[in-house]
Amino acid sequence: MLGKSFNFLTIRVVGVLAGYLFTYFITSRYGADIFGLVSLCFSIFLFAGILGRLGTDINLVNRYADIEKMEDKGLFYKVVVNSFVVACLFALVLYLTRDYYTLHVFRKPELEPYIFWTVLAIPFWTLTLVCGGLLRARKKNEWFAFLNIPGRFILTLLVIPIVLLFLDDPIIVIQSHFFGIMILGIIALVRCIVLLERITFKSHSSSWNFIRQSIPMMLSSTILVVLGWMDTFVLGIYNPSQDIGIYNVAIKIAGVASFTFFAINSILAPKLAQLFQAQDIKGFRQLVQFSALVNGIASILLISLILGFHDWLLRIFGEEFSAGDKALFILCAGQLIMALTGSVGVILQMTRNQVIYQNIMIITLVVNIALNF
């Protein structure tokens, strides 16, 4: 598990570096204001992407972790089509209602031009993560890691110089992001087709029944995204774009502490699903305890480094970002608590307790929204 987690961690480090380069490009060329607008767009993009895939990416891990169920290839393709269509509908609704939330909720008319390119990327991001669910189930962890973390920003960074040849305007940031996501979605689908060896829509299982079973997982995933972006939403309502930009840089730096958490979780989910289905409770407990120990030690070390060099890390993006130091301290405290409590969400979801996890997340969301306001 450690060996495979290290591979995931390496890919995640590359992804985070690509994300930092993307952030640095925006902040150095266009400033904290534009990065604030882009951060708001990303919050909308990630929230709609969760709704679009309907929790199927997580349920696919449960379904295809068992090699015998890989014979039912048609179910995967049906799920891909259904989730892509649903994501397109969400994107259309977001685009048609853009005036309401740009002018009346966020009161930022300058956000409106960015919305078109933001919603256009949603179906392709849904496609990417649904395909990632299959690859994760079949323990193609390097591919799963690439699709979730570095692929998005690496491809965006590769597209930016090409778009700059035609236009030098802040809008090129979100345009390049769309083209990067579109390419990533196509790559993910091709990789799954190669894995399954053929395309077929014949299945003895109902794709809509599969989606119905996935809904609790979607709700939990949606709440996680809302929890992660609610602070940005609230800042978007009450504060100028510059504050949003500074705060989101602090989030990115604090996120370094979760490297090992997500690396271990990526390997942990299919392994726990297998052990649970095999009723190997002893092996299940040992794996949970071991992962929690490694996670806790690694997170403490990373957070210590972040706090020790916090001023230098913030100033990399510009002098104005040093104002995010207090936010960074609080965010690091949250990361530490998350690490020390272990992979509780994965454990519940891989043991068919997704409804319990969903209820816990609903309570958490209500508390989070109240505290934010």
Side-chain angles (χ1 to χ4, degrees):
M1 189 182 75
L2 279 179
K4 292 180 179 179
S5 295
F6 181 78
N7 293 338
F8 184 96
L9 184 61
T10 302
I11 296 170
R12 184 170 177 82
V13 168
V14 173
V16 170
L17 289 175
Y20 284 157
L21 285 173
F22 178 73
T23 301
Y24 181 75
F25 170 80
I26 300 172
T27 55
S28 61
R29 195 178 187 96
Y30 302 116
D33 285 347
I34 297 301
F35 184 61
L37 294 176
V38 172
S39 296
L40 274 177
C41 287
F42 282 175
S43 65
I44 296 167
F45 164 77
L46 292 172
F47 176 70
I50 284 282
L51 294 176
R53 61 185 186 267
L54 301 168
T56 54
D57 56 324
I58 301 172
N59 206 11
L60 283 170
V61 178
N62 262 327
R63 176 81 180 191
Y64 289 112
D66 185 350
I67 188 64
E68 293 180 3
K69 293 179 180 177
M70 281 297 293
E71 295 301 317
D72 189 5
K73 299 175 182 180
L75 176 65
F76 168 73
Y77 289 107
K78 285 183 177 180
V79 169
V80 165
V81 171
N82 291 344
S83 57
F84 190 85
V85 170
V86 171
C88 287
L89 293 174
F90 275 120
L92 181 62
V93 170
L94 280 170
Y95 182 70
L96 294 176
T97 58
R98 66 192 183 281
D99 286 345
Y100 172 73
Y101 55 86
T102 56
L103 298 177
H104 302 293
V105 177
F106 297 125
R107 295 189 293 276
K108 291 177 176 59
E110 65 273 21
L111 184 65
E112 197 273 337
Y114 293 77
I115 296 300
F116 173 75
W117 297 99
T118 300
V119 301
L120 210 58
I122 290 168
F124 292 100
W125 183 238
T126 297
L127 173 64
T128 300
L129 295 185
V130 170
C131 291
L134 174 68
L135 295 169
R136 186 185 186 188
R138 298 314 311 143
K139 299 180 182 177
K140 305 295 181 183
N141 295 300
E142 289 79 8
W143 271 99
F144 171 69
F146 173 75
L147 295 176
N148 270 266
I149 314 296
R152 176 182 165 202
F153 289 113
I154 287 173
L155 291 174
T156 299
L157 286 170
L158 291 174
V159 170
I160 282 176
I162 300 172
V163 179
L164 275 172
L165 293 175
F166 302 95
L167 179 68
D168 187 4
D169 183 272
I171 195 71
I172 66 109
V173 173
I174 212 71
Q175 288 175 336
S176 300
H177 179 258
F178 159 69
F179 289 118
I181 293 292
M182 182 179 68
I183 296 168
L184 189 66
I186 294 170
I187 291 172
L189 182 59
V190 170
R191 182 63 186 89
C192 286
I193 292 171
V194 171
L195 177 67
L196 296 175
E197 297 178 346
R198 62 192 175 94
I199 299 175
T200 178
F201 290 93
K202 292 182 179 179
S203 172
H204 55 75
S205 303
S206 166
S207 59
W208 290 112
N209 187 49
F210 180 84
I211 288 172
R212 182 184 59 79
Q213 295 170 354
S214 305
I215 295 299
M217 298 180 184
M218 178 204 74
L219 292 174
S220 300
S221 299
T222 302
I223 292 168
L224 272 175
V225 171
V226 173
L227 283 170
W229 287 94
M230 179 54 65
D231 38 14
T232 299
F233 273 120
V234 174
L235 282 175
I237 294 170
Y238 293 108
N239 288 47
S241 301
Q242 183 181 15
D243 288 354
I244 304 168
I246 292 171
Y247 181 71
N248 274 272
V249 163
I251 289 176
K252 282 189 172 294
I253 296 172
V256 172
S258 64
F259 273 10
T260 52
F261 183 82
F262 290 109
I264 289 173
N265 278 2
S266 71
I267 311 301
L268 200 61
K271 285 186 177 293
L272 289 181
Q274 282 183 327
L275 290 169
F276 181 76
Q277 289 169 16
Q279 296 185 334
D280 184 359
I281 304 304
K282 182 180 178 181
F284 187 96
R285 285 176 176 168
Q286 287 176 340
L287 192 59
V288 167
Q289 290 168 354
F290 177 72
S291 64
L293 179 65
V294 173
N295 212 359
I297 293 170
S299 296
I300 289 170
L301 291 173
L302 286 169
I303 289 170
S304 298
L305 288 172
I306 292 170
L307 296 180
F309 295 94
H310 72 276
D311 191 57
W312 177 77
L313 290 169
L314 287 166
R315 290 179 187 274
I316 287 175
F317 300 95
E319 289 296 322
E320 60 188 325
F321 290 93
S322 61
D325 56 351
K326 292 183 178 65
L328 179 59
F329 294 154
I330 297 170
L331 290 164
C332 282
Q335 292 285 355
L336 181 61
I337 293 168
M338 181 178 73
L340 295 179
T341 51
S343 305
V344 289
V346 171
I347 294 166
L348 287 170
Q349 289 181 311
M350 293 302 110
T351 56
R352 300 179 188 144
N353 287 300
Q354 61 264 32
V355 175
I356 294 173
Y357 183 57
Q358 168 199 297
N359 294 338
I360 293 169
M361 296 309 296
I362 289 171
I363 294 169
T364 307
L365 178 62
V366 171
V367 173
N368 181 273
I369 292 173
L371 289 175
N372 263 287
F373 280 102

